[in-house]
Amino acid sequence: MTEATPLSTLGRESWRVRKAHESMLFATVERVLRNPLGLLAVCGLLIILMATLGAGLLSQYSPTDQAYRGAARYLAPSLDHPFGTDNVRRDMFSRTLFGLRNSLAVSLAAVIFGSLAGISLGFISGYAGGWTDAIMMRFVDAMLAFPGLLAAMAILTILGTGLVNLAIAIAVFNIPAFARLSRAQVLVEKNRDYVFASQAIGAGPARIIFRHISRNAVPPLLTQVALAINSAIILAAALSFLGLGEKPPEPSLGSLLNDAKSHLREAWWMAVFPAAAMAFLLLCLNFLADAVNEATSPYARRKV
Amino acid sequence: MIAFVLRRLLQGIPVLVLASVAVFLILRLVPGDPAVSLAGPDATPDQVAQIRQQLGLDDSLPVQYARWVGQLARGDLGSSIRGIEVSRLLKDSMPSTIELAIAAYLFAIAVGIPLGVMAGANPRSGWDWALSLFTLMSIGIPSFLTGILLLWVFGVELGWFPTSGRISLFSNPGASIEHLILPAYALGGNLAAVLGRYTRTSVAEIMGQDFIRTAKSKGLAQHAVIIRHALRNALVPVITITALQIGAVLAGAVVIEQVFTRPGMGRLIVEAIQNRDYVVVQSTLIVLVVIFVVVNLSADLAYGFLDPRIRRR
């Protein structure tokens, strides 16, 4: 800040800065970016995000067209086809990028909807207490008792396969963990003075939960969000790998690996590039989860 | 102890009931008339009516549920679209899956626990680094990805192991184990890392306690301290963790079977979903869920048995 700044605006500026710093969400983001691994993860994820969003610009070939511009089967990686071509002459670079895009879209949608549903359930259950809480938590326990993959399979049996249904199945799988964690947060927060104060001025439960408690209860859940995206990507890939995901010829990380499996003898590049893309994505998400965990939990914070 | 066992059994019941209701509802929630979808596209209205009657679809849902559970209890799992009894399909496919799960567990225990013990007893040693590296490699990467890479390197490129199929352990043990090594590594690697981490934490914690110092100061050799004193206490939580991983191992086996083209419950259920063979899906799922709940319950009971302090909670 320069010396010429008038005193009156200085006061206002510093008030604004302080308010931003007091927001737990802002502080968390700042701490994640200060952590070298966190910064690395965010950069890596940004690169992946840009590559998948700009997949159409980066690759001159269509991900689904066969024999596009006269390419041959099983072409080894070259300048023209950086990741080679597959068993039906499709460009693997394009298929990997579009596959990443589909996998990311499914996983992100699933985690966003699943966590919103789970957190709302947990907030309501924890704030209400009593019978509501007991019944809701028994349901959550029953859902947790189901291995995630099998639960997702059961849902896909009912809904049928496809990208949207895959996202729904994974979203449902995310509900119980978020419900349990957010309930635990609310149980702590609801006995704080600020909640009693809001109750005293006549605020209703919805207002208290979503305007007051959520501000303090959500940041600690961010680690779970990062972890959930990680496991959603693995689950989505596993289900697509089993042929329960998107309809061919649409690519995704799982179905690309399934295709590659039968052609390992002829074209290792069909497996290696999608596998590397997936491993890189998961590595970035793992680092991000670690960084968020360090940023939100004072115990996990690095001792420098 | 009896009160503890009864309490745990009672806690398991609502989970089983809710899970079985969920599995039961699969067939009823499928869009359209399940009788029509079961009869197939070429069925006459008479055949559909017959299937409706066979399934008892005209009764109320609770009645249907009660009858379904009764049939399950008697071992009647229904039959597939092609008219094969599901119990026979399961009898053919279960040994392969159980074999794979056991092989994965053996691998995980043989690698994870010794590595965890050495790392826990010698923090910041080479063992500790080896465990960290192993964890990073296996937990970060999903099992089917590991499986494909193993298949490529050791199956296709080097040709050391067969790439697909399964041979019964009883007819030809050597070939059977050869077919199991890669899948067991892919499925068990994750588990080994989890076990290794837990064992390490548990052993490291116990190595700092007074009774270990006493054992050391009376002149016991390091290995005797670890085996006779530390392990006994450290392995109690590890046993629970091992059993609690059964869900992950069963679900993982479904995918790994697909990677190594092994016939098993995974193949059965995936093909059934693709063919919309709902009875097979339903029965296979319920069998998997029962296995899962029973193993979890036994783990809980074993935990209480091994550590009397747990019983009082």
Side-chain angles (χ1 to χ4, degrees):
Chain A
M1 209 160 287
T2 50
E3 283 173 50
T5 319
L7 262 178
S8 58
T9 52
L10 211 171
R12 235 153 119 204
E13 278 298 313
S14 66
W15 173 79
R16 248 157 88 197
V17 170
R18 245 185 74 201
K19 191 169 178 219
H21 274 286
E22 272 169 3
S23 142
M24 279 178 81
L25 209 63
F26 183 86
T28 307
V29 172
E30 200 189 350
R31 283 202 202 104
V32 167
L33 291 178
R34 279 214 194 124
N35 181 333
L37 277 186
L39 187 64
L40 205 70
V42 170
C43 289
L45 289 173
L46 279 180
I47 291 173
I48 293 175
L49 211 61
M50 286 194 301
T52 50
L53 288 179
L57 297 173
L58 281 174
S59 171
Q60 47 179 326
Y61 298 104
S62 143
T64 49
D65 259 4
Q66 303 179 9
Y68 198 69
R69 290 192 201 169
R73 279 152 58 95
Y74 301 134
L75 271 183
S78 64
L79 273 182
D80 196 27
H81 296 280
F83 292 0
T85 60
D86 72 357
N87 54 317
V88 283
R89 306 163 194 207
R90 292 174 297 202
D91 178 55
M92 280 307 292
F93 181 64
S94 175
R95 279 184 78 67
T96 306
L97 285 186
F98 279 94
L100 256 176
R101 176 197 270 190
N102 278 339
S103 296
L104 265 179
V106 164
S107 311
L108 289 179
V111 172
I112 289 170
F113 287 108
S115 62
L116 283 180
I119 290 174
S120 310
L121 267 180
F123 279 177
I124 293 167
S125 182
Y127 191 78
W131 274 106
T132 325
D133 187 35
I135 292 173
M136 279 169 114
M137 281 304 120
R138 286 296 82 71
F139 269 102
V140 166
D141 281 346
M143 282 171 84
L144 279 175
F146 246 65
L149 187 83
L150 298 184
M153 280 179 150
I155 296 167
L156 286 174
T157 311
I158 297 168
L159 299 177
T161 57
L163 273 184
V164 175
N165 292 342
L166 189 62
I168 295 174
I170 299 172
V172 172
F173 157 79
N174 268 302
I175 292 174
F178 277 104
R180 271 233 162 269
L181 286 172
S182 59
R183 172 178 174 272
Q185 288 291 330
V186 168
L187 289 184
V188 175
E189 294 292 331
K190 80 173 183 184
N191 291 321
R192 296 263 163 105
D193 287 342
Y194 73 88
V195 173
F196 295 138
S198 318
Q199 282 167 344
I201 59 170
R207 187 183 171 85
I208 294 175
I209 293 174
F210 292 103
R211 286 220 46 166
H212 298 291
I213 291 182
S214 67
R215 302 232 165 154
N216 296 305
V218 167
L221 297 173
L222 288 177
T223 311
Q224 179 61 25
V225 172
L227 287 174
I229 297 174
N230 201 29
S231 51
I233 283 172
I234 294 178
L235 190 61
L239 288 164
S240 299
F241 178 78
L242 294 174
L244 304 177
E246 74 291 331
K247 309 248 184 316
E250 199 67 19
S252 81
L253 289 175
S255 61
L256 286 174
L257 288 167
N258 191 31
D259 291 345
K261 199 200 92 191
S262 333
H263 305 281
L264 281 174
R265 234 168 267 280
E266 295 86 7
W268 54 265
W269 48 89
M270 278 177 70
V272 168
F273 291 111
M278 188 171 167
F280 180 63
L281 175 60
L282 292 177
L283 192 72
C284 287
L285 284 170
N286 263 327
F287 283 163
L288 182 70
D290 277 354
V292 173
N293 188 30
E294 274 179 29
T296 50
S297 143
Y299 302 106
R301 223 166 274 162
R302 206 174 289 231
K303 289 155 200 111
V304 188
Chain B
M1 187 69 199
I2 293 172
F4 168 75
V5 172
L6 282 179
R7 202 165 59 231
R8 279 300 147 96
L9 285 177
L10 279 178
Q11 281 172 357
I13 289 172
V15 171
L16 259 188
V17 170
L18 279 176
S20 65
V21 169
V23 174
F24 164 77
L25 285 176
I26 290 177
L27 195 58
R28 321 293 139 167
L29 287 175
V30 166
D33 188 343
V36 174
S37 49
L38 277 175
D42 314 319
T44 62
D46 275 353
Q47 282 172 317
V48 172
Q50 201 192 346
I51 288 177
R52 279 193 79 81
Q53 212 196 348
Q54 265 177 17
L55 290 174
L57 288 174
D58 303 321
D59 296 323
S60 69
L61 279 181
V63 172
Q64 290 184 39
Y65 173 73
R67 189 169 45 225
W68 181 64
V69 171
Q71 283 169 349
L72 286 181
R74 286 194 301 276
D76 174 9
L77 297 174
S79 48
S80 75
I81 297 179
R82 293 197 194 111
I84 307 169
E85 273 184 36
V86 180
S87 50
R88 265 205 51 199
L89 290 172
L90 282 175
K91 221 174 100 190
D92 291 341
S93 60
M94 252 169 119
S96 166
T97 306
I98 291 174
E99 228 171 64
L100 177 58
I102 291 176
Y105 262 110
L106 287 180
F107 171 81
I109 290 168
V111 172
I113 290 184
L115 201 55
V117 169
M118 294 312 289
N122 313 294
R124 279 163 217 191
S125 64
W127 292 105
D128 208 2
W129 285 111
L131 179 66
S132 296
L133 191 70
F134 183 71
T135 314
L136 194 71
M137 271 170 34
S138 26
I139 292 191
I141 300 174
S143 59
F144 73 96
L145 202 58
T146 317
I148 290 181
L149 295 178
L150 289 173
L151 191 68
W152 171 48
V153 175
F154 295 102
V156 174
E157 293 296 323
L158 297 172
W160 291 355
F161 296 100
T163 54
S164 65
R166 174 229 173 204
I167 288 170
S168 163
L169 195 60
F170 301 105
S171 65
N172 186 348
S176 171
I177 290 170
E178 228 175 33
H179 279 82
L180 266 174
I181 289 178
L182 290 184
Y185 182 96
L187 184 56
N190 235 320
L191 188 61
V194 172
L195 283 190
R197 299 297 327 169
Y198 273 102
T199 312
R200 185 203 175 277
T201 315
S202 186
V203 168
E205 213 168 82
I206 279 169
M207 288 306 276
Q209 288 191 5
D210 289 346
F211 71 93
I212 295 290
R213 198 183 52 207
T214 309
K216 276 185 186 164
S217 57
K218 74 180 185 189
L220 267 186
Q222 171 88 349
H223 68 266
V225 174
I226 293 174
I227 293 170
R228 301 253 313 261
H229 295 273
L231 264 190
R232 242 183 227 190
N233 293 288
L235 285 188
V236 174
V238 173
I239 290 171
T240 321
I241 298 298
T242 315
L244 286 181
Q245 294 288 321
I246 184 79
V249 170
L250 281 180
V254 170
V255 186
I256 291 297
E257 275 172 4
Q258 200 76 3
V259 175
F260 293 93
T261 339
R262 283 173 68 85
M265 290 173 88
R267 284 274 294 286
L268 183 68
I269 198 168
V270 167
E271 275 169 22
I273 293 176
Q274 282 163 344
N275 299 335
R276 307 192 156 258
D277 198 341
Y278 301 120
V279 177
V280 177
V281 177
Q282 206 175 30
S283 301
T284 315
L285 273 182
I286 198 76
V287 168
L288 285 172
V289 168
V290 170
I291 295 177
F292 178 66
V293 171
V294 168
V295 172
N296 272 351
L297 198 63
S298 329
D300 256 4
L301 294 180
Y303 200 10
F305 189 70
L306 291 168
D307 190 343
R309 285 167 297 182
I310 307 293
R311 283 178 229 163
R312 272 184 243 126
R313 272 189 230 145

